[in-house]
Amino acid sequence: MPTVTALRDDRRGRVAVELDGAPWRSIPVDVVARAGLAEGRALDRADLRLLRRELRRAESLAIATRALRARDMSERRLSERLEQAAVAPAVVEESIGVLARAGLVDDARFAHNRAESLAGRGYGDEAIRDDLGRQGVSAELAEDALERLEPERERARRIVARRGPGAKTARYLASKGFGEGALEAALGVGFANDP
C-alpha cells in the first residue's frame, strides 16, 4: 500500500502530495481534508476510492462554478453542461444540490432575471415563455416570471411609439413573440389580423 510521505501547500489552493517519497499529484485542499489524507497514512483501496470520488466531486463543482461565473443558468442547463464534461450523473445531481443550497443555482431567480432581460430587449411574452422552456425552466416558474414583468401591451406600445405604427412594426412585434392582444392594443384592431 502506498503511504503519504509529505503534503505541501502549493499556494494555489492545492496540496502537493508525495507518496512513498516521490511526488504524486497536486490535489485541492478541500479534497485532501474530505479524504482524510495525512502524512504517514497508508492508502488502501477504500481510501483511494474515497479520494477518487472526492476528486470527481471537486472537479464537477469547479466546472459548474466556472460555467456560472460566465452566466446564470437553470438547473437543467447546468446539468447538461456537466454531462457534456463527462461528469457521472450521481455527481451531477450532488453538485447541483450543493450549488442550489448555496443559492448559486435557483431556477426561480434565473427565470425572473432572464424574463426581465428578454423583455428589456424587446421580446414579447410568447418568445420569453419559449426561451425559458428551452432553458429548462418549468412552466409554472415561467408564468410566475412573466406575471412580474411590465404588461406585454405596455411594452408593445413603447416599441410602437419608438418605431412608428404600421405593417412593418406589426410584423416586427409578431416576430418578437408579442401576442395578438398586445398587437391590437398597440396598433389598433386592424393590424392584429393583417398579413
Side-chain angles (χ1 to χ4, degrees), residues 41-120:
R41 179 165 181 192
L43 301 177
D44 61 14
R45 284 180 182 246
D47 294 329
L48 291 172
R49 276 193 300 272
L50 173 62
L51 180 59
R52 186 172 44 248
R53 188 170 44 248
E54 292 300 335
L55 283 168
R56 283 191 206 122
R57 287 178 183 158
E59 181 182 338
S60 174
L61 285 171
I63 292 167
T65 54
R66 275 194 307 272
L68 290 170
R69 244 183 286 164
R71 66 183 175 103
D72 199 10
M73 294 180 164
S74 67
E75 282 187 25
R76 188 177 98 197
R77 281 287 186 220
L78 186 56
S79 177
E80 289 169 356
R81 171 67 185 94
L82 292 172
E83 288 168 7
Q84 287 172 352
V87 175
V91 178
V92 168
E93 187 176 321
E94 182 182 346
S95 297
I96 289 176
V98 167
L99 294 170
R101 285 189 298 278
L104 296 173
V105 176
D106 180 348
D107 277 1
R109 181 195 67 228
F110 171 79
H112 175 70
N113 291 343
R114 180 81 176 162
E116 275 191 354
S117 173
L118 291 171

Side-chain angles (χ1 to χ4, degrees), residues 162-185:
R162 189 178 70 238
R163 293 177 59 99
K168 188 174 181 180
T169 299
R171 285 190 301 273
Y172 174 81
L173 288 172
S175 75
K176 289 290 202 167
F178 283 89
E180 232 177 85
L183 289 172
E184 288 177 0

Side-chain angles (χ1 to χ4, degrees), residues 127-149:
I128 294 169
R129 187 177 292 110
D130 183 59
D131 179 82
L132 291 175
R134 284 192 318 270
Q135 297 293 328
V137 173
S138 71
E140 181 182 317
L141 290 177
E143 290 306 317
D144 183 54
L146 287 169
E147 287 174 11
R148 293 177 168 199
L149 295 176

